[in-house]
């Protein structure tokens, strides 16, 4: 019997995933925090644990070392892994896995929902009516507009399909372009500069890496079309929040919608708070019944494979 620690609400709430692990005879402990759990708390919890199923909580070197030598796998219930110290995990022989594709449809649908919310001022109009007002700001259709997609992986590709179905033109930028898919859906790959200049709406779907952190800063925003909308359901580190605030206030940027923030939850005084043309959601892109079920099952099966001495199907591969 192995000891499994779950610190992510999504997997803990997935009855199928929990049942898979329990039926295999393993002991499960659930510890859910609010936001990113402090390092010292994580380090204390992981001692003596064989498998760690984690969401946004940081798994630092100290946490990995606290789990050694029993810890065999750190299973992320998503596709991002920037919160895990991969070097420390490799040094201690701990597998790190992700759940690719499980939440692609859910995140893509949220991205489209955020585009509609900004284009039609849905959040602002609701707030106005709730406060006793009755104003109708002029909206803009998505039909006929150009959507720029930065990163056409599993999520970005789902966004591209839906955007084309809505009658939008699509431009894309990716370091590994899939020209077969682009031809099927009907869009070209372009350099980043052309993507910024040619998009009415720019949506981000790349991981946070040394090359992409802060990629949307003052310089990039200045190259975008006046009044363009920016959507971020990827990682908060991709965007310079202070630059976005300045672009919103000056009218250079027509609106910003984000499901991921640099600091989650934001603290009072965060540069994105209190702006009319900013819509924020609490990192809920993958939080649908369907995505939680798919992701939870993938995570549970990866944990069982590693605990049985098998190779995981979706390990994080260092380049």
């Amino acid at each position: 019997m192995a000891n499994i620690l779950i610190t992510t609400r999504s997997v803990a709430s997935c009855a199928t995933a929990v049942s898979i692990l329990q039926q295999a005879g393993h002991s499960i402990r659930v510890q859910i925090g609010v936001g990113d759990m402090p390092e010292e708390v994580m380090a204390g919890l992981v001692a003596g644990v064989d498998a760690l199923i984690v969401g946004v909580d940081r798994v630092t070197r100290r946490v990995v070392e606290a789990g050694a030598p029993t810890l065999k796998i750190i299973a992320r219930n998503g596709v991002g892994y920037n919160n895990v110290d991969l070097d420390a995990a490799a040094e201690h022989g701990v597998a790190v896995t992700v759940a690719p594709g499980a939440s692609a449809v859910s995140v893509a649908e949220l991205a489209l929902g955020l585009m509609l919310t900004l284009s039609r001022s849905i959040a602002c109009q609701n707030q106005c009516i709730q406060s006793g007002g009755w104003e109708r700001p002029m909206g803009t259709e998505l039909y006929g507009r150009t959507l720029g997609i930065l990163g056409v992986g599993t999520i970005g590709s789902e966004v591209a399909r839906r955007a084309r179905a809505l009658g939008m033109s699509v431009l894309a930028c990716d370091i590994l372009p899939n020209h077969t898919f682009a031809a099927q859906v009907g869009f070209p790959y372009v350099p980043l500069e052309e993507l910024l200049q040619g998009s009415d709406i720019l949506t981000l779907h790349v991981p946070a890496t040394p090359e992409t952190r802060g990629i949307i800063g003052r310089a990039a925003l200045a190259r975008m079309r006046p009044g363009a909308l920016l959507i971020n359901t990827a990682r908060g580190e991709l965007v310079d929040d202070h630059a976005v605030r300045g672009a919103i206030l000056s009218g250079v940027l027509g609106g910003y919608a984000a499901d991921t923030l640099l600091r989650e939850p934001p603290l009072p005084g965060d540069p994105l708070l209190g702006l009319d043309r900013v819509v924020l959601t609490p990192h809920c892109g993958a939080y649908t019944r369907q995505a939680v079920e798919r992701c939870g099952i993938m995570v549970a099966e990866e944990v069982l494979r590693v605990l049985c001495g098998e190779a995981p199907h979706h390990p994080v591969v260092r380049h």
Side-chain angles (χ1 to χ4, degrees):
M1 180 183 73
N3 294 314
I4 301 172
L5 173 64
I6 302 176
T7 69
T8 169
R9 193 180 310 278
S10 297
V11 177
S13 65
C14 180
T16 305
V18 172
S19 177
I20 288 172
L21 297 171
Q22 289 177 331
Q23 287 180 9
H26 300 307
S27 174
I28 297 175
R29 179 159 51 106
V30 176
Q31 186 73 41
I32 308 298
V34 178
D36 185 8
M37 197 178 298
E39 181 186 48
E40 60 273 16
V41 175
M42 282 289 290
L45 292 171
V46 80
V49 165
D50 298 282
L52 172 62
I53 298 176
V54 67
V56 299
D57 297 311
R58 288 176 300 139
V59 185
T60 63
R61 174 173 292 276
R62 177 182 173 186
V63 173
V64 174
E65 290 176 348
T70 59
L71 188 62
K72 300 176 180 65
I73 177 174
I74 300 166
R76 273 281 294 115
N77 73 319
V79 294
Y81 50 83
N82 55 302
N83 60 323
V84 179
D85 190 321
L86 299 180
D87 291 331
E91 290 170 18
H92 289 276
V94 180
V96 179
T97 63
V98 290
S103 60
V105 169
S106 293
V107 178
E109 288 184 354
L110 178 63
L112 266 295
L114 292 174
M115 293 177 207
L116 286 165
T117 297
L118 286 179
S119 295
R120 299 303 302 271
S121 301
I122 294 172
C124 293
Q125 292 181 76
N126 173 67
Q127 187 175 14
C128 175
I129 294 173
Q130 296 285 356
S131 302
W134 189 260
E135 299 177 9
R136 289 191 297 178
M138 184 65 71
T140 305
E141 294 178 349
L142 294 185
Y143 180 87
R145 302 183 83 187
T146 299
L147 175 66
I149 305 177
L150 180 57
V152 192
T154 54
I155 297 172
S157 60
E158 294 292 344
V159 173
R161 291 189 181 97
R162 285 157 178 76
R164 294 293 289 134
L166 289 172
M168 302 182 77
S169 298
V170 171
L171 298 175
C173 179
D174 199 298
I175 58 173
L176 296 173
N178 184 336
H179 294 291
T180 300
F181 174 74
Q184 291 172 346
V185 177
F187 67 85
Y189 284 97
V190 298
L192 179 59
E193 183 83 8
E194 188 174 336
L195 186 79
L196 296 171
Q197 295 174 348
S199 302
D200 297 306
I201 304 172
L202 177 63
T203 182
L204 310 179
H205 300 286
V206 293
T209 67
E211 293 75 27
T212 62
R213 287 188 179 93
I215 193 169
I216 305 300
R218 287 182 174 82
L221 292 167
R223 293 186 179 96
M224 293 176 66
R225 290 181 175 180
L229 305 180
L230 177 62
I231 312 294
N232 184 10
T233 56
R235 286 291 179 266
E237 294 93 332
L238 304 177
V239 176
D240 181 335
D241 292 348
H242 291 281
V244 166
R245 180 180 179 85
I248 291 284
L249 293 175
S250 68
V252 171
L253 193 62
Y256 179 52
D259 184 49
T260 55
L261 304 172
L262 186 59
R263 187 165 48 197
E264 297 179 355
L267 298 176
D270 187 286
L272 296 177
L273 299 180
L275 298 176
D276 290 339
R277 296 295 296 167
V278 170
V279 175
L280 305 176
T281 52
H283 210 140
C284 65
Y287 203 58
T288 64
R289 290 182 178 86
Q290 296 87 347
V292 165
E293 183 81 1
R294 288 190 295 265
C295 194
I297 291 172
M298 288 180 69
V299 167
E301 290 176 344
E302 286 286 69
V303 167
L304 291 187
R305 289 187 191 100
V306 172
L307 292 180
C308 289
E310 300 175 12
H313 287 182
H314 306 291
V316 173
V317 179
R318 300 296 301 273
H319 297 287

